[in-house]
Amino acid sequence: MMNVRVAQESDLAELAELFHQSVLSTAPQRYTPEQTVAWASTATDADRFRQLILQPTTYVVVDNTGILGFAGIAADGHIASTYVRSDRIRQGLGSTLMQVILDHASRNGIQRLYAEASEFSLGLFKKFGFYLYDTEIVERQGVQFKRYLVKRHQNQIHTQVTTEV
């Protein structure tokens, strides 16, 4: 049985470990070793990671094994994060989290959603009606990354996605 709830400060250590392990296990498929290390290190910067989780509204999916994934959305519609535990990738949790984010936006009257997607999350965003409008290069710890800028307007017609979890 899975539950979805808002992340709490007491979740930060578990979320940082989930983030770190998720990046280390998936990033090497599409990113260089230097990019992987720089990306994963976000979890070791306690202040930065705390802001990533607690400044937006971050939802977590939990079961009896712990937190399975998380996704955050800011009041301005910025989707700050979408991560799934490395042993649960490709099991519908990303879709579950995205639907939670879309429901949050709808309840709160957020009309425009936007994000900076990675190579891994771009497909998830497209699945939920986001479209790619640009790319950008950012630098983290002296390492450059290409990110995909995506957005979606809530009033656009979209197909309801159902998932089995």
Side-chain angles (χ1 to χ4, degrees):
M1 175 83 115
M2 292 189 312
N3 293 311
V4 177
R5 63 172 172 77
V6 174
Q8 304 163 12
E9 184 139 4
S10 59
D11 296 324
L12 288 175
E14 187 175 355
L15 290 172
E17 181 61 21
L18 183 154
F19 177 99
H20 191 254
Q21 289 304 317
S22 178
V23 171
L24 289 179
S25 69
T26 58
Q29 298 168 33
R30 297 199 182 153
Y31 292 91
T32 68
E34 295 80 16
Q35 288 173 318
T36 299
V37 168
W39 186 4
S41 73
T42 300
T44 61
D45 180 341
D47 289 335
R48 185 170 172 206
F49 192 77
R50 184 178 192 282
Q51 287 181 352
L52 174 71
I53 300 300
L54 298 180
Q55 275 187 347
T57 300
T58 298
Y59 292 94
V60 296
V61 175
V62 297
D63 72 2
N64 62 343
T65 67
I67 297 174
L68 305 175
F70 65 93
I73 181 171
D76 69 353
H78 180 243
I79 299 175
S81 61
T82 308
Y83 288 86
V84 173
R85 201 168 74 191
S86 60
D87 65 333
R88 297 299 299 269
I89 291 173
R90 301 257 179 244
Q91 296 179 22
L93 290 170
S95 292
T96 296
L97 286 162
M98 189 60 72
Q99 190 60 56
V100 168
I101 292 296
L102 295 177
D103 292 346
H104 172 97
S106 182
R107 281 191 316 274
N108 290 280
I110 301 170
Q111 292 300 308
R112 183 179 82 92
L113 301 172
Y114 66 100
E116 303 81 26
S118 71
E119 294 277 344
F120 294 103
S121 62
L122 183 59
L124 177 66
F125 283 104
K126 285 182 172 182
K127 177 180 176 180
F128 280 87
F130 286 76
Y131 65 92
L132 176 67
Y133 68 91
D134 206 351
T135 60
E136 69 178 359
I137 302 295
V138 295
E139 189 173 304
R140 299 284 184 258
Q141 299 184 351
V143 180
Q144 291 189 338
F145 291 85
K146 182 178 182 179
R147 298 194 307 186
Y148 301 89
L149 306 179
V150 296
K151 65 182 171 179
R152 175 182 194 267
H153 294 279
Q154 283 291 76
N155 57 359
Q156 50 186 84
I157 297 171
H158 66 281
T159 304
Q160 177 72 25
V161 176
T162 58
T163 59
E164 289 185 27
V165 284

